[in-house]
Amino acid sequence: MIVDWSATGAGERDGRDEEEYLNLATVQLHLLEAGFHIVEAQERRETFVVIGALR
């Protein structure tokens, strides 16, 4: 399971530069390229959640 700040979030957070945030589609692509199967993916207000398993 991966939970992180989303690049497409509402922008109501403090912390890192927004350039460091990834969007959900990019994270899913990286996981698929690394051999993971995506079980579930959800975009939330400020974050995203991706649940995956190795193939």
Side-chain angles (χ1 to χ4, degrees):
M1 176 186 301
I2 296 172
V3 179
D4 201 358
W5 295 109
S6 176
T8 58
E12 300 173 357
R13 61 197 171 268
D14 293 326
R16 303 180 300 198
D17 292 331
E18 290 194 23
E19 296 172 358
E20 294 182 24
Y21 299 120
L22 299 174
N23 64 45
L24 178 58
T26 301
V27 171
Q28 290 181 88
L29 178 62
H30 289 305
L31 289 170
L32 291 170
E33 289 173 347
F36 283 83
H37 163 74
I38 305 298
V39 176
E40 184 177 341
Q42 297 179 357
E43 185 86 39
R44 304 186 308 187
R45 182 170 174 81
E46 292 287 351
T47 61
F48 58 78
V49 176
V50 181
I51 301 172
L54 281 174
R55 290 186 230 171

